[in-house]
Amino acid sequence: MELSTLDYSFIIVFFSIVLGIGIYVSKKSGKDSTEFFLSGRNMPWWLLGISMVATTFSTDTPNLVTDIVRTHGVSGNWVWWAFLLTGLLTVFIYAKLWRRSNVNTDLEFYEMRYGGKVASFLRKFRAVYLGALLNIITMASVTLAAIKIGGIMLGLEPWVTVVSAGLITVTFSALGGFKGVVYTDFLLFFVAMSGAIGAAYYLVNIPEVGGIEALMANDVVASKLDILPDFSDRKSLIMLFIIPLAVQWWSSWYPGSEPGGGGYIAQRMLASKNENHAIGATFFYNIMHYALRPWPWILVALASLVVYPDIASIQEAFPNMAESKLGHDLAYSAMLTKLPSGLLGVVLASLIAAYMSTISTQLNWGSSYIVFDFYKQQINPNASEKQLVLVGRISTAALMILSAILALALENALQIFEILLIFGAGTGLLFLLRWFWWRINAWSEIAAMFGSLIVTFLLKLTPFGEFLFNAETGFFPDWYEYPFVVLVVTIIWMSVMFLTQPESKETLRSFYKRIQPGGPGWSKVVNEAKADGEVIVKDEKWSVPQGITAMLLGCVLIYSIMFATGYWIYGRTTPALILTGVAIVSAFLLIKAWNRMKEDIL
């Protein structure tokens, strides 16, 4: 495929602006570690919200969505749509608690919530485990998508894509720090969104597809359109709908959808001006992430079923593509090769934008763990601010190199999604409860982390998993696997919690004074402090019931917008009108609930 001068112009201008932003903010970002990783804690909600959305655009997300739609239909997306519940729980309950903590990273929370050497070990180990190991896996998945796009659209060798895409990203990330990441995310969001919408509009109307009406009438596509799964198909119903909505959303740690918040989402909440800005940023992110953004990708995925009905047709069209990289996720990149000059340049720039936004965020966030939670804690407690920034820049480059090496060995996006999902299974409930139940201790977190690792290893990397969970030869159907992991890991960490000592009175009271979580889970600590003549309660009102009400209203609002958007695209006017009305009513009720919550915060 040949790029025109116009296409190259779009890409060159885009790269120049991004690098310019990194260089422009580099001097201020390098002033100290708080500026480099949190931009002085003075970011507005709208900028942080756009940054969160831009970060999760990613190059692997459209590939993942395409793989899901082609394999399971539109309803298959419930495996990640269900995470809206934990996203809104973070918005209305946990966002203000994170901002109130005033920590530099979410791992610093461990030594605030727990005490002693165990808490110190937990913080340092998770800095390496999350900031390096799982972060590298996540970035490798994103880079794999870039490799496939480069191979299909530009005919590039994998190593050429990795070096060229990674070099610019790591340069502006190391120079600009968090401020550079957020500022460039603002540009990247609009470039990525316009590219995704432009590509969807054009590709649905190419002669092979024949427009939206012809697409909807296609027999293969029509069988994939349902937003809700087929309730008569027991296996699909359980795997794609019941497990995600009933178990997955609260039980699993997944990057960007951590129960109770964490990772780069927590980093942005901690960088906000105040608690209200933290809440506003995360709510804006959830609306854009779930309600509106998926549909351009879904449309391209549906159109790809007409042009490339199976993997063999993709292989025939792109014979030079390595067989190990072939999969349904490749169909998105294959469709983009049909774009005309000019629009092709915009879409390529948008894909580069998506890649850079995600990788730059992962680099800055992972580096913050290594600097604050490992290097400063374990290696050089007396490090100067200049040393911390230098280590941050070195670790940024190291994370990029390691993730690039791993990306060359991976095969498809869905493979990584499923591994990460199982990796975090069973830990989510602990992350939700640790803010509101005094009995959670550091040993329970360690047990959850290692329990999840061991169970995942046994099921995914040994014959034990095949022996237990196999549709034909195993003891149980394969859809039992995820609930099994959740149950086993939950039993492990809860058993360890009750078999070990709780945190000290001093640690628990100090945490309560700072965070003011409230609720019956802290009544023992509050009553004992009162008996000792120590006042630790500043606000008697518990805001969680209001938060849950707002969360439920928010779910109705966002799911209604998402479904209504789909039905308007499908041309199904009646359900679209009904759901639009539901969205308007739920928005009105949510505004009222939010105004009451805002008064309580103020």
Side-chain angles (χ1 to χ4, degrees):
M1 186 182 68
E2 294 287 331
L3 293 182
S4 69
T5 304
L6 183 61
D7 295 324
Y8 280 116
S9 299
F10 278 123
I11 295 170
I12 291 169
V13 169
F14 170 74
F15 272 135
S16 302
I17 293 173
V18 168
L19 277 176
I21 291 172
I23 294 168
Y24 176 74
V25 302
S26 62
K27 186 174 182 180
K28 188 171 182 181
S29 294
K31 186 174 68 173
D32 58 47
S33 55
T34 303
E35 275 291 340
F36 190 79
F37 292 114
L38 292 172
S39 190
R41 301 184 192 272
N42 197 35
M43 286 282 180
W45 68 269
W46 55 270
L47 189 56
L48 291 171
I50 286 174
S51 177
M52 292 181 198
V53 182
T55 293
T56 51
F57 252 101
S58 185
T59 42
D60 64 330
T61 311
N63 288 20
L64 172 65
V65 171
T66 300
D67 200 338
I68 290 171
V69 170
R70 287 173 63 90
T71 307
H72 301 293
V74 174
S75 63
N77 286 286
W78 280 104
V79 296
W80 67 275
W81 283 346
F83 281 125
L84 172 65
L85 278 76
T86 191
L88 291 185
L89 206 62
T90 299
V91 171
F92 294 112
I93 294 177
Y94 293 95
K96 63 178 182 291
L97 302 181
W98 277 112
R99 186 62 186 86
R100 207 175 285 169
S101 72
N102 209 39
V103 294
N104 287 308
T105 70
D106 57 313
L107 296 189
E108 192 178 325
F109 167 89
Y110 289 114
E111 289 192 284
M112 180 177 66
R113 174 63 177 81
Y114 312 120
K117 293 181 179 179
V118 180
S120 178
F121 165 79
L122 181 61
R123 177 181 178 182
K124 286 178 282 195
F125 184 85
R126 282 189 75 82
V128 177
Y129 174 65
L130 295 179
L133 178 61
L134 290 187
N135 192 25
I136 286 169
I137 293 172
T138 304
M139 289 193 294
S141 174
V142 177
T143 303
L144 171 65
I147 288 172
K148 293 192 173 190
I149 291 167
I152 286 287
M153 299 187 70
L154 303 174
L156 298 178
E157 291 292 324
W159 71 268
V160 176
T161 302
V162 166
V163 171
S164 56
L167 192 60
I168 292 178
T169 306
V170 79
T171 301
F172 92 79
S173 298
L175 285 174
F178 183 74
K179 190 186 291 288
V181 170
V182 173
Y183 282 6
T184 52
D185 277 349
F186 184 78
L187 167 68
L188 302 180
F189 166 77
F190 291 104
V191 173
M193 197 74 199
S194 59
I197 294 171
Y201 180 81
Y202 181 86
L203 293 171
V204 165
N205 289 288
I206 60 176
E208 296 99 309
V209 178
I212 191 70
E213 291 183 3
L215 179 65
M216 296 297 115
N218 183 280
D219 290 339
V220 177
V221 172
S223 67
K224 304 283 187 181
L225 290 178
D226 290 339
I227 295 174
L228 295 174
D230 182 0
F231 280 57
S232 65
D233 184 343
R234 183 165 172 260
K235 182 180 176 180
S236 295
L237 179 65
I238 292 172
M239 288 187 69
L240 302 177
F241 192 69
I242 293 176
I243 288 176
L245 281 175
V247 182
Q248 181 182 296
W249 71 270
W250 58 263
S251 65
S252 182
W253 179 95
Y254 185 80
S257 300
E258 302 86 347
Y264 59 81
I265 299 296
Q267 185 188 33
R268 279 151 178 75
M269 292 188 283
L270 293 168
S272 62
K273 288 182 178 181
N274 54 43
E275 294 171 24
N276 278 329
H277 280 266
I279 294 170
T282 47
F283 186 58
F284 176 81
Y285 156 70
N286 278 280
I287 290 177
M288 293 300 299
H289 181 61
Y290 293 100
L292 301 177
R293 196 184 55 180
W295 285 106
W297 299 330
I298 290 171
L299 282 172
V300 174
L302 292 170
S304 76
L305 288 166
V306 179
V307 182
Y308 304 106
D310 50 33
I311 294 176
S313 59
I314 299 174
Q315 188 174 24
E316 184 181 348
F318 303 95
N320 295 327
M321 196 68 192
E323 193 169 339
S324 63
K325 303 297 183 187
L326 283 170
H328 284 295
D329 60 337
L330 210 59
Y332 189 83
S333 305
M335 290 296 289
L336 297 184
T337 62
K338 298 185 174 295
L339 295 174
S341 175
L343 180 56
L344 178 60
V346 172
V347 171
L348 271 175
S350 76
L351 292 171
I352 294 168
Y355 174 82
M356 294 177 71
S357 178
T358 302
I359 293 294
S360 62
T361 288
Q362 297 290 145
L363 289 173
N364 188 265
W365 161 66
S367 179
S368 73
Y369 280 8
I370 292 168
V371 170
F372 287 122
D373 303 303
F374 184 76
Y375 177 77
K376 191 175 181 182
Q377 295 295 310
Q378 181 70 24
I379 298 174
N380 189 1
N382 299 315
S384 67
E385 289 297 324
K386 284 188 177 180
Q387 286 175 311
L388 294 177
V389 172
L390 177 62
V391 172
R393 285 172 169 161
I394 293 171
S395 59
T396 295
L399 289 170
M400 184 72 246
I401 292 168
L402 292 171
S403 66
I405 293 170
L406 178 59
L408 296 172
L410 296 177
E411 294 181 8
N412 67 72
L414 192 56
Q415 169 191 29
I416 303 302
F417 177 82
E418 290 171 348
I419 290 173
L420 287 174
L421 206 57
I422 292 290
F423 249 125
T427 60
L429 183 61
L430 183 149
F431 296 144
L432 293 173
L433 290 179
R434 64 188 181 179
W435 295 86
F436 295 106
W437 189 20
W438 69 275
R439 193 59 184 82
I440 302 286
N441 60 13
W443 284 112
S444 57
E445 292 239 15
I446 291 172
M449 181 171 57
F450 282 103
S452 177
L453 274 172
I454 293 168
V455 173
T456 301
F457 175 81
L458 290 173
L459 292 179
K460 292 296 184 183
L461 300 176
T462 71
F464 184 69
E466 187 73 14
F467 174 73
L468 272 184
F469 303 104
N470 187 288
E472 296 176 1
T473 61
F475 280 95
F476 306 103
D478 51 0
W479 52 264
Y480 272 54
E481 184 181 56
Y482 184 83
F484 173 81
V485 176
V486 171
L487 178 63
V488 171
V489 173
T490 302
I491 290 172
I492 289 171
W493 71 256
M494 291 199 79
S495 300
V496 169
M497 178 186 71
F498 285 116
L499 290 170
T500 53
Q501 291 294 316
E503 300 300 327
S504 67
K505 287 183 180 180
E506 293 76 19
T507 299
L508 294 171
R509 291 178 187 182
S510 173
F511 176 79
Y512 195 97
K513 279 182 182 178
R514 186 168 183 175
I515 304 299
Q516 297 292 301
W522 285 95
S523 58
K524 184 177 185 295
V525 174
V526 171
N527 292 336
E528 286 180 355
K530 188 181 290 186
D532 293 340
E534 185 178 359
V535 179
I536 63 173
V537 179
K538 297 176 185 175
D539 184 6
E540 295 284 350
K541 189 171 183 180
W542 194 37
S543 63
V544 168
Q546 281 184 317
I548 292 174
T549 300
M551 167 209 163
L552 294 174
L553 288 170
C555 285
V556 173
L557 169 64
I558 293 175
Y559 281 137
S560 296
I561 295 173
M562 181 174 71
F563 293 165
T565 303
Y567 286 129
W568 283 118
I569 291 170
Y570 291 173
R572 300 179 187 175
T573 308
T574 302
L577 283 170
I578 292 170
L579 287 165
T580 301
V582 172
I584 292 170
V585 172
S586 57
F588 173 76
L589 295 174
L590 181 59
I591 290 170
K592 292 185 70 174
W594 165 240
N595 286 334
R596 287 194 298 269
M597 288 181 66
K598 195 159 60 171
E599 289 171 8
D600 290 339
I601 292 173
L602 295 173

